Amino acid sequence: MSNVRIGIVGIGNMGAGHANHLKSGTIKGAVLAAISDGDAEKRAWAAETYSGVAVYADSEAMLASGDVDAVIVATPHYDHPVEAQRALAQGMHVLIEKPAGVYTKQVREMNEAAAASGRVFSIVYNQRMNPLYRKLRELIADGELGEIRRTNWIITNWYRSQSYYDSGSWRATWGGEGGGVLINQCPHQLDLWQWTTGLMPVRIRAFCHFGKHRDIEVEDDVTAYVEYANGGTGVFITTTGEAPGTNRFEVTGDRGKIVIEDGRLTFWRLRESERDFNARNRAAFGSPEHWKCEVPIHGTSSEHAGIVQNFVDAIRNGTALIAPGEEGIHGLTISNAMHLSTWLDDWVELPLNEDLYESELRKRIKSSRYRKPEAAVSCSTGPVDLKGTF
């Protein structure tokens, strides 16, 4: 087909980033055709910034205009499934920003609508473009690590000041964002955690601290323990209140250990499986021989532009999606379970009790500080620079 005409739903920070890639010609086979946003100041800013691009007050008008073939949804979290289903119903291809939604029940409904539509449906899990995590996934899938026994991710380099949270009344509220560090900063890690290993937990015990480091109502410090069906275990630790932070992902298997940290992938490879060594070993303090291997990583991460390009290629050429939209429910299931475990002060088993989670979430929305939407940034200066974040 000819160039895919893409409309942006929501021209805040992320929406503007996508618009810039499209307008600059970075995305081959696609053009920025339209923008919609309910905020008059943002529309004025968009009309001036993206001269010649149609600007609409709402997505319904944009979808009905005939200007677009596909949309990128870059609205606040709760609206991702709403806007996606609206576009799918109009025959549009859809790319949604992370997270897929706030609670899995609404995301499951979105996934069902996408499956029935026959349209291309993707999610901006741009860290799947990172060659470090692609290599880890490849090594695990090829059996190089053997059966996974333990995963451990410390992701504490999400430092956010009080000023960040004060920049919009919707930030860090149950009614506005639907959560804190798990729903805003960590969707990428929660996705990669299960995507690279191929493992979803079967039960979770989490300890979320709400407003521990900042004056907010949602979680800003989390430690969670998970169990897998094969008997393996995992730990996930995150916060927005530590500096300097750490980003270290460690996966241990029957054939060794892999660590991703500081832009490197290191593989401590056992000469033989631990299970085989243990079966033949007779020395009281014997241990398997291992080699420390710095695995070469080729290429760079194309990040957001890579995901958008893949989305366009899927529409035009049938290219396989790197981040199918339906897979957004996996990481969200984990974060929902972490919330629910803390709220109930108990273990949570998967599959998640989606009705119970929604009920508990709505209790918190009812008492949330969030009351009405406000722009997260001043439209007179445009969206903020997102370099250095995901």
Side-chain angles (χ1 to χ4, degrees):
M1 65 179 296
S2 57
N3 285 340
V4 179
R5 301 172 303 163
I6 295 182
I8 306 291
V9 184
I11 195 66
N13 294 328
M14 298 312 303
H18 294 304
N20 292 340
H21 285 141
L22 289 163
K23 190 67 173 175
S24 68
T26 300
I27 310 302
K28 306 306 177 184
V31 294
L32 176 62
I35 292 167
S36 70
D37 199 292
D39 186 286
E41 289 187 22
K42 287 186 177 182
R43 291 198 302 275
W45 177 86
E48 179 181 353
T49 304
Y50 306 105
S51 178
V53 174
V55 179
Y56 295 92
D58 55 59
S59 61
E60 293 97 324
M62 185 177 73
L63 294 173
S65 69
D67 289 339
V68 300
D69 308 304
V71 300
I72 299 177
V73 176
T75 59
H77 304 157
Y78 279 104
D79 290 335
H80 290 180
V82 175
E83 294 292 352
Q85 289 181 77
R86 178 177 292 133
L88 290 165
Q90 294 298 316
M92 303 293 157
H93 304 286
V94 175
L95 173 62
I96 59 170
E97 262 296 343
K98 60 81 182 171
V102 174
Y103 53 99
T104 57
K105 188 175 180 180
Q106 65 169 177
V107 171
R108 192 174 302 283
E109 293 169 353
M110 174 180 65
N111 287 353
E112 291 170 355
S117 73
R119 302 290 89 185
V120 174
F121 176 47
S122 185
I123 184 169
V124 187
Y125 277 150
N126 55 288
Q127 287 304 294
R128 290 192 182 190
M129 305 304 299
N130 190 322
L132 281 166
Y133 299 112
R134 294 171 74 87
K135 176 58 72 173
L136 174 61
R137 175 178 163 89
E138 175 189 324
L139 291 171
I140 291 174
D142 288 348
E144 295 290 337
L145 198 56
E147 183 179 37
I148 293 176
R149 294 183 170 181
R150 188 184 308 279
T151 65
N152 191 331
W153 204 326
I154 303 174
I155 174 68
T156 59
N157 63 344
W158 285 125
Y159 184 80
R160 295 293 185 270
S161 66
Q162 187 65 47
S163 177
Y164 165 84
Y165 291 115
D166 292 343
S167 67
S169 66
W170 57 277
R171 289 193 185 279
T173 61
W174 295 114
E177 280 195 293
V181 62
L182 293 175
I183 203 74
N184 191 325
Q185 283 78 34
C186 283
H188 293 296
Q189 286 73 40
L190 293 174
D191 172 62
L192 292 171
W193 196 17
Q194 55 81 32
W195 183 70
T196 56
T197 62
L199 295 175
M200 277 289 287
V202 293
R203 68 174 192 154
I204 293 176
R205 184 66 175 99
F207 300 89
C208 300
H209 299 271
F210 306 103
K212 181 176 183 179
H213 303 290
R214 302 289 181 262
D215 180 20
I216 58 176
E217 63 190 39
V218 294
E219 82 285 350
D220 60 355
D221 193 300
V222 178
T223 298
Y225 171 84
V226 305
E227 294 180 350
Y228 301 112
N230 70 347
T233 61
V235 174
F236 190 89
I237 298 172
T238 189
T239 182
T240 56
E242 291 181 5
T246 297
N247 185 357
R248 177 185 172 93
F249 186 24
E250 180 175 312
V251 186
T252 302
D254 185 50
R255 295 300 304 262
K257 176 179 72 176
I258 293 177
V259 173
I260 292 179
E261 188 175 21
D262 296 331
R264 296 193 300 271
L265 190 155
T266 307
F267 188 178
W268 284 266
R269 182 184 176 90
L270 300 187
R271 185 173 183 179
E272 61 183 315
S273 77
E274 187 281 328
R275 185 177 288 104
D276 290 346
F277 171 83
N278 185 59
R280 68 169 181 78
N281 176 61
R282 296 296 177 267
F285 296 99
S287 63
E289 181 181 351
H290 69 273
W291 310 308
K292 182 180 179 180
C293 309
E294 295 290 344
V295 179
I297 302 298
H298 303 289
T300 57
S301 180
S302 55
E303 300 287 335
H304 298 83
I307 289 292
V308 177
Q309 186 66 67
N310 176 244
F311 173 63
V312 170
D313 292 344
I315 295 170
R316 300 182 76 232
N317 308 317
T319 303
L321 289 173
I322 293 168
E326 292 86 353
E327 294 183 7
I329 200 169
H330 301 318
L332 185 63
T333 295
I334 296 172
S335 66
N336 280 185
M338 289 180 182
H339 280 152
L340 189 59
S341 173
T342 302
W343 293 338
L344 301 179
D345 194 20
D346 201 356
W347 286 91
V348 167
E349 308 228 348
L350 301 184
L352 182 71
N353 184 330
E354 295 180 343
D355 290 331
L356 177 59
Y357 180 82
E358 183 183 2
S359 173
E360 290 294 324
L361 175 62
R362 292 198 180 281
K363 291 178 184 178
R364 286 148 184 89
I365 293 173
K366 187 175 181 180
S367 60
S368 176
R369 301 176 189 174
Y370 175 78
R371 289 296 175 267
K372 63 179 181 179
E374 293 180 5
V377 296
S378 171
C379 294
S380 61
T381 58
V384 299
D385 184 359
L386 293 178
K387 289 179 181 178
T389 186
F390 294 144

